[in-house]
Amino acid sequence: MSKKIILSGIQATGKLTLGNYLGAIDNWVKMQEEYECYYMIANLHSLTVRNDPETLRNNTLKIIAIYVAAGLDPEKNNIFIQSQVKEHAELGWILNCYTYMGELSRMTQFKDKSLKHADNINAGLFTYPVLMAADILLYQANLVPVGADQMQHLEIARDIAERFNKIYGKTFVIPEGYITKTSGRIMGLQDPTSKMSKSATNLNDVIFLEDEPEVILKKFKKAVTDSENIVKFDPENKPGVSNLMQIYGSVTSKTMEEVEKEFEGSGYGNFKTKVAEAVVEKLEPIQKKYKELLNNPEYLEKIYKKGADNARKLASKTLDTVKEKIGIII
Ligand code: TYM
């Protein structure tokens, strides 16, 4: 029996965070044996905000290096750059014509980003979820492992696929989301009521994957908790402590009950240090490998070229089927 297919990706904007790692990449690593995997760098999605061209190019390569350093075996996974498989933009356009303004207007990410970039609310920002739907549907992906913030986009991808299938007969596989309970939504360290984000203005709110161990330790020590001094999982009333517990649980593969037990009677000072140490222990080997890979751009190029060649095979097959069904001469 052929393996089920996974597709996921990360935008090439900004520096990757511990949220990106725990919510997405770390899960992908665990799934690589069981599935046929396509992991892309969403550099077309990055264009919805203004980028310095050189930075965008560098970020794209950095993310490929992070994928591999984190444990994605380039022999087993198809790692590629979205723009190098032209089918994404093409299917994106077609699907635009099967997506309604009303449903796009409801996207919370669009609303958030419009507020943040009030001077640049471009059409790409609005149709962003359609391109994401194209990314997923081109590969007939069964599963899309993402963080909780992407769930709404996944829902719209499912809706578009169902709509298309209804009109033209079964064309697309309807994808399922895969979000883990403990790491699906890693929150900010200073504001544990909103998600840890690349674009945070307070740098103490976010752990970047490139942060040095001392910086990581310092940021965790400053993390907002509460006055109870009890390590107990209660996201509603103790968001700061619960978030630290989820981070700790994710990097050590422990349940919340195990974490509670481990830190029974321990104050927050010791707890925060232990969380920081566990994160450093997890990230240090990745950082070391990442630096080595960045010094080997030829190897990175081989990976993404091969990834795009493989991706194109599947993507072009789906696109041809779509074109045939809607009456576009191939
Ligand atoms: P992006 O680049 O914002 O984030 C990449 C992945 O990291 C997850 N994530 C988090 N998970 C847990 N806690 C957090 N604080 C956190 N912050 C980010 C995101 O949920 C995501 O899984 N639109 C996508 C990229 C994309 C894509 C796709 C994803 C483009 N096409 C097709 C899946 C399938 C995005 O902007 O993710």
Side-chain angles (χ1 to χ4, degrees):
M1 213 176 76
S2 59
K3 287 181 174 177
K4 287 197 167 178
I5 297 175
I6 281 186
L7 176 124
S8 199
I10 295 186
Q11 274 203 65
T13 323
K15 293 193 281 184
L16 294 198
T17 71
L18 187 63
N20 295 130
Y21 175 68
L22 295 179
I25 306 171
D26 193 33
N27 294 321
W28 304 352
V29 174
K30 292 172 189 151
M31 300 168 117
Q32 60 185 337
E33 304 294 337
E34 217 181 309
Y35 293 85
E36 181 182 334
C37 302
Y38 293 84
Y39 294 120
M40 54 168 218
I41 294 83
N43 60 342
L44 294 176
H45 278 109
S46 300
L47 301 178
T48 53
V49 296
R50 291 282 170 265
N51 295 279
D52 164 53
E54 197 51 33
T55 310
L56 179 58
R57 260 189 291 273
N58 286 335
N59 279 346
T60 306
L61 295 178
K62 280 181 172 181
I63 298 181
I64 294 169
I66 284 278
Y67 282 1
V68 178
L72 286 181
D73 180 346
E75 296 299 322
K76 291 186 185 143
N77 300 277
N78 301 295
I79 297 172
F80 67 101
I81 302 172
Q82 182 188 33
S83 60
Q84 295 198 334
V85 182
K86 295 191 169 58
E87 284 78 0
H88 289 247
E90 214 177 328
L91 184 64
W93 168 255
I94 294 173
L95 296 183
N96 265 321
C97 306
Y98 295 85
T99 310
Y100 297 111
M101 303 280 282
E103 51 192 350
L104 290 174
S105 315
R106 285 195 291 276
M107 296 291 111
T108 44
Q109 193 162 310
F110 172 68
K111 291 185 212 164
D112 289 350
K113 291 206 171 164
S114 304
L115 285 178
K116 251 189 213 154
H117 306 279
D119 55 337
N120 182 21
I121 307 177
N122 56 68
L125 198 61
F126 189 63
T127 59
Y128 179 112
V130 185
L131 180 59
M132 183 162 156
D135 299 336
I136 298 167
L137 302 180
L138 272 177
Y139 298 90
Q140 306 290 0
N142 303 95
L143 210 61
V144 183
V146 282
D149 62 321
Q150 293 300 317
M151 204 51 201
Q152 207 185 18
H153 290 160
L154 187 70
E155 287 298 333
I156 203 172
R158 288 167 58 92
D159 290 345
I160 296 169
E162 275 167 4
R163 185 172 304 145
F164 195 97
N165 286 353
K166 216 169 172 185
I167 306 174
Y168 299 102
K170 189 160 174 5
T171 311
F172 297 121
V173 167
I174 309 298
E176 300 284 337
Y178 176 91
I179 298 171
T180 63
K181 242 204 222 153
T182 37
S183 61
R185 196 165 164 81
I186 301 295
M187 309 306 264
L189 299 186
Q190 291 299 312
D191 175 8
T193 59
S194 45
K195 76 159 192 177
M196 183 181 284
S197 158
K198 284 172 188 171
S199 53
T201 40
N202 180 350
L203 293 184
N204 286 325
D205 201 46
V206 37
I207 302 286
F208 293 108
L209 295 186
E210 290 182 46
D211 279 348
E212 298 291 335
E214 315 80 67
V215 177
I216 295 178
L217 198 63
K218 232 190 254 161
K219 287 182 179 175
F220 274 112
K221 281 202 166 150
K222 285 189 186 148
V224 167
T225 46
D226 52 58
S227 54
E228 274 188 359
N229 224 16
I230 299 167
V231 178
K232 188 167 159 264
F233 190 66
D234 179 357
E236 206 154 295
N237 300 307
K238 294 166 75 68
V241 170
S242 303
N243 185 41
L244 293 176
M245 289 178 72
Q246 287 192 307
I247 292 174
Y248 186 73
S250 303
V251 293
T252 58
S253 305
K254 288 177 183 162
T255 63
M256 292 304 98
E257 294 78 53
E258 287 169 333
V259 180
E260 275 178 7
K261 225 181 231 155
E262 185 175 341
F263 292 101
E264 214 176 290
S266 145
Y268 287 161
N270 169 54
F271 171 55
K272 286 179 176 178
T273 308
K274 286 276 159 50
V275 178
E277 284 170 358
V279 170
V280 167
E281 199 179 313
K282 185 92 179 176
L283 293 187
E284 255 185 337
I286 297 175
Q287 293 176 336
K288 189 166 165 267
K289 182 106 198 274
Y290 168 68
K291 282 181 194 151
E292 285 167 16
L293 286 164
L294 281 183
N295 282 326
N296 196 348
E298 295 83 19
Y299 178 58
L300 295 179
E301 187 178 335
K302 248 191 219 158
I303 293 173
Y304 69 70
K305 283 202 160 150
K306 188 175 125 232
D309 285 344
N310 286 339
R312 226 172 273 126
K313 286 181 201 150
L314 193 47
S316 61
K317 204 168 140 213
T318 305
L319 185 63
D320 280 354
T321 307
V322 168
K323 284 179 170 173
E324 233 159 63
K325 292 202 175 193
I326 61 178
I328 300 283
I329 296 174
I330 297 169

